[in-house]
């Protein structure tokens, strides 16, 4: 959804704010009585009319269960704005905060600006391991500090044009990378002038949601070693990933022609989206894309992304991310704030209702299997991806999403043919990530 793009755009500015002047956030209190009348301030990033309507409905359900707690919600708030307010503290700061940027959880936890929720869960008997999938717990914690909880999730998979598949005699979506390359070539259709009418699968990293870390997840890579140091140069998966994307590009005409075609695409969230208009036969995207496909003039389906040829047992996996929510360290109403966080994240009926309303993946084990969940089979594919034991999320880091940005910049050079020595390039990338992490610690 549009919020995904806003989240990506705010990563660097949010990270910069977290890394400067935030070591001693304003201290709040967890001594309040949650049964007493109180008004909580809840800041979130949702801005689309349907999304705001859904979050307001969630708050109304909470207030009905907790008539003594009123919630004043403020939407369309960026991470940068939240971080400024939490550093300043005081009466104007929020009590409950959410973020679309899971990459920043390491900073939220290590800076102390979001409180550790483990004591609240212990006090109220919430067993996080029983409630939430492990991967979602991993991206909401840092070094044992559970400073956030998942508030719906996003899973990445493949959208494919069934009519285009039938046209060239392909009977099912590709399951391995070699099948993806073979099918992409078959599905690519040229114009008489030599341009493209349709591309089978465009791996270009600047395309819509094609951030390199998302396709890279199909290899299940380890970004950091046990010592905390970046280890992409030591990852066989990294070399295989870049070799695969290079071959996908080469076999469909080369980077230059594909990039020229990409620049002709309409806006991702518009009716001119390249998959919706038939310019892409296969496309990586999240579960929310289904909401935008109602006007499609062709039959389409969803499936997991392919996996490396030597790991067929991992088929069904995908990249996971999502919204996170926590309690501001400066809040003087932390027990009441926990009641809201607990309701939004762990109440099964609430999680299902919210997931159905904004077409996101539920973030609890019970909600993922609820019979009340949207039964649309194209949505169900993403539920399966979210529950697949091989699915992965990005590891938290003290410097937030900076290492992801470094990998993106490196990947742009690889796909454009500017990185001639991949091993040396990956070693340099590791050094850059380690230097950024060291700076964040000082």
């Amino acid at each position: 959804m549009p919020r995904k793009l806003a989240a990506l755009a705010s990563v660097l500015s949010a990270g910069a704010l977290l890394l400067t002047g935030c070591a001693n956030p304003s201290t709040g209190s967890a001594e309040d009585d949650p049964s007493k009348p109180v008004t909580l301030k809840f800041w979130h990033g949702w801005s689309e009319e349907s999304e705001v309507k859904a979050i307001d409905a969630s708050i109304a359900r909470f207030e009905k269960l907790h008539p003594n707690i009123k919630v004043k919600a403020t939407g369309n708030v960026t991470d940068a704005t939240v971080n400024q307010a939490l550093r300043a503290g005081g009466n104007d700061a929020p009590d409950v905060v959410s973020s679309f940027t899971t990459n920043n959880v390491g900073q939220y936890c290590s800076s102390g600006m979001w409180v550790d929720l483990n004591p609240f869960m212990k006090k109220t008997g919430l067993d996080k391991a029983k409630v939430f999938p492990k991967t979602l717990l991993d991206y909401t914690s840092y070094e044992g500090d559970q400073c956030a909880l998942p508030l719906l999730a996003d899973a990445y998979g493949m959208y494919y044009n069934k009519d285009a598949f039938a046209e060239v005699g392909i009977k099912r979506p590709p399951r391995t990378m070699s099948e993806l390359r073979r099918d992409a070539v078959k599905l690519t259709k040229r114009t008489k002038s030599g341009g493209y009418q349709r591309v089978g699968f465009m791996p270009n990293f600047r395309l819509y949601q094609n951030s390199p870390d998302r396709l890279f997840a199909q290899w299940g890579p380890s970004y950091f070693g046990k010592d905390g140091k970046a280890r992409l140069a030591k990852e066989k998966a990294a070399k295989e990933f870049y070799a695969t994307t290079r071959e996908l590009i080469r076999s469909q005409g080369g980077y230059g022609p594909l990039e020229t075609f990409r620049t002709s695409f309409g806006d991702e969230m518009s009716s001119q989206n390249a998959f919706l208009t038939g310019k892409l036969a296969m496309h990586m995207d999240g579960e929310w894309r289904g909401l935008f496909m109602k006007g499609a003039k062709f039959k389409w389906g969803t499936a997991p992304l392919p996996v490396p040829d030597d790991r067929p047992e991992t088929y069904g996996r995908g990249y996971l991310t999502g919204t996170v929510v926590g309690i501001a360290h400066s809040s003087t109403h932390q027990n009441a704030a926990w009641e809201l966080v607990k309701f939004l994240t762990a109440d099964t009926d609430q999680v299902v209702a919210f997931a159905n309303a904004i077409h996101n993946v539920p973030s609890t084990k019970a909600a993922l299997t609820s019979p009340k969940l949207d039964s649309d089979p194209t949505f169900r594919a993403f539920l399966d991806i979210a529950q697949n034991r091989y699915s992965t999320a990005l590891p938290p880091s003290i410097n937030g999403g900076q290492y992801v940005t470094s990998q993106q910049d490196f990947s742009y050079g690889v796909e454009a043919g500017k990185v001639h020595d991949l091993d040396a390039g990956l070693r340099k990338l590791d050094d850059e990530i380690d230097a950024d992490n060291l700076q964040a610690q000082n």
Side-chain angles (χ1 to χ4, degrees):
M1 287 188 173
R3 65 185 179 88
K4 312 295 173 185
L5 302 182
L8 288 172
S10 70
V11 169
L12 288 179
S13 59
L17 285 166
L18 279 163
L19 291 171
T20 56
C22 62
N24 297 295
S26 300
T27 301
S29 170
E31 298 178 359
D32 60 303
D33 184 345
S35 67
K36 298 293 185 181
V38 65
T39 297
L40 298 176
K41 293 181 286 294
F42 173 34
W43 287 11
H44 63 79
W46 286 286
S47 59
E48 292 296 303
E49 183 179 354
S50 61
E51 296 172 334
V52 173
K53 183 178 179 181
I55 196 67
D56 287 346
S58 300
I59 290 170
R61 289 190 286 269
F62 171 78
E63 290 179 336
K64 186 175 181 179
L65 291 173
H66 300 268
N68 63 298
I69 304 177
K70 302 301 178 185
V71 180
K72 181 181 179 182
T74 302
N76 199 24
V77 182
T78 66
D79 281 22
T81 300
V82 169
N83 296 331
Q84 286 176 326
L86 296 189
R87 289 208 321 277
N91 293 331
D92 293 329
D95 299 288
V96 176
V97 289
S98 72
S99 171
F100 300 142
T101 313
T102 58
N103 302 344
N104 282 339
V105 168
Q107 293 176 324
Y108 302 147
C109 293
S110 62
S111 69
M113 288 199 298
W114 291 29
V115 303
D116 184 7
L117 300 178
N118 281 312
F120 294 91
M121 288 186 279
K122 183 177 180 181
K123 182 164 54 177
T124 57
L126 191 154
D127 187 336
K128 62 182 181 181
K130 291 183 178 178
V131 174
F132 305 102
K134 182 182 181 302
T135 302
L136 275 59
L137 284 176
D138 289 345
Y139 72 59
T140 51
S141 64
Y142 182 69
E143 295 186 347
D145 187 341
Q146 191 76 49
C147 72
L149 286 176
L151 179 56
L152 302 190
D154 294 314
Y156 282 77
M158 173 180 286
Y159 286 78
Y160 65 100
N161 185 324
K162 290 185 175 181
D163 291 350
F165 271 52
E167 177 187 316
V168 298
I170 301 175
K171 296 183 178 181
R172 62 164 174 79
R175 295 174 184 169
T176 64
M177 290 298 166
S178 61
E179 288 182 355
L180 174 63
R181 183 174 66 252
R182 179 199 66 197
D183 292 350
V185 172
K186 282 186 178 181
L187 289 159
T188 297
K189 184 185 290 188
R190 297 277 193 166
T191 64
K192 291 182 179 180
S193 61
Y196 293 102
Q197 181 179 332
R198 182 180 69 209
V199 165
F201 179 83
M202 181 176 284
N204 298 43
F205 297 129
R206 297 179 191 271
L207 171 65
Y208 299 158
Q209 296 289 322
N210 277 20
S211 178
D213 48 291
R214 292 166 187 169
L215 186 58
F216 191 24
Q218 298 307 101
W219 278 262
S222 296
Y223 284 81
F224 301 100
K226 293 182 179 179
D227 59 358
K229 297 289 185 68
R231 50 157 293 127
L232 290 173
K234 298 176 182 178
E235 274 285 283
K236 176 186 175 185
K239 300 176 181 65
E240 291 179 353
F241 164 64
Y242 287 114
T244 297
T245 54
R246 278 172 162 170
E247 182 56 26
L248 277 166
I249 289 171
R250 186 203 63 76
S251 63
Q252 292 178 97
Y255 174 75
L258 286 174
E259 189 66 3
T260 297
F261 189 50
R262 183 192 67 82
T263 59
S264 72
F265 294 169
D267 183 78
E268 177 183 357
M269 298 300 169
S270 75
S271 61
Q272 296 304 304
N273 174 282
F275 179 70
L276 183 58
T277 55
K279 293 182 178 180
L280 298 174
M282 296 180 286
H283 181 51
M284 178 176 68
D285 216 328
E287 76 287 339
W288 66 88
R289 174 58 50 196
L291 288 177
F292 295 81
M293 293 301 299
K294 294 178 180 178
K297 297 180 180 179
F298 54 86
K299 295 178 181 178
W300 58 278
T302 57
L305 287 162
V307 296
D309 288 39
D310 61 348
R311 302 174 206 181
E313 74 282 0
T314 66
Y315 180 69
R317 78 186 311 169
Y319 172 88
L320 303 181
T321 184
T323 303
V324 300
V325 63
I327 299 173
H329 195 279
S330 57
S331 172
T332 57
H333 311 294
Q334 292 179 11
N335 288 313
W338 167 244
E339 292 299 323
L340 176 58
V341 170
K342 182 174 65 170
F343 173 76
L344 292 175
T345 62
D347 183 284
T348 301
D349 286 342
Q350 158 57 26
V351 173
V352 170
F354 192 32
N356 284 341
I358 68 172
H359 210 68
N360 277 188
V361 173
S363 43
T364 69
K365 294 177 181 178
L368 280 165
T369 58
S370 170
K372 298 178 182 179
L373 200 58
D374 189 341
S375 60
D376 179 356
T378 61
F379 182 53
R380 288 275 168 180
F382 293 95
L383 302 182
D384 292 340
I385 292 169
Q387 297 176 84
N388 187 284
R389 66 191 181 100
Y390 293 107
S391 291
T392 58
L394 284 170
S397 169
I398 195 171
N399 79 347
Q402 185 56 49
Y403 76 94
V404 183
T405 301
S406 296
Q407 188 203 13
Q408 285 177 337
D409 291 340
F410 174 74
S411 300
Y412 296 151
V414 172
E415 69 178 0
K418 297 179 180 179
V419 178
H420 303 293
D421 187 334
L422 187 59
D423 287 321
L426 287 169
R427 288 194 296 272
K428 184 177 179 181
L429 174 60
D430 282 345
D431 290 342
E432 179 182 332
I433 292 171
D434 289 339
D436 287 339
N437 280 341
L438 181 62
Q439 182 179 3
Q441 293 168 2
N442 296 328

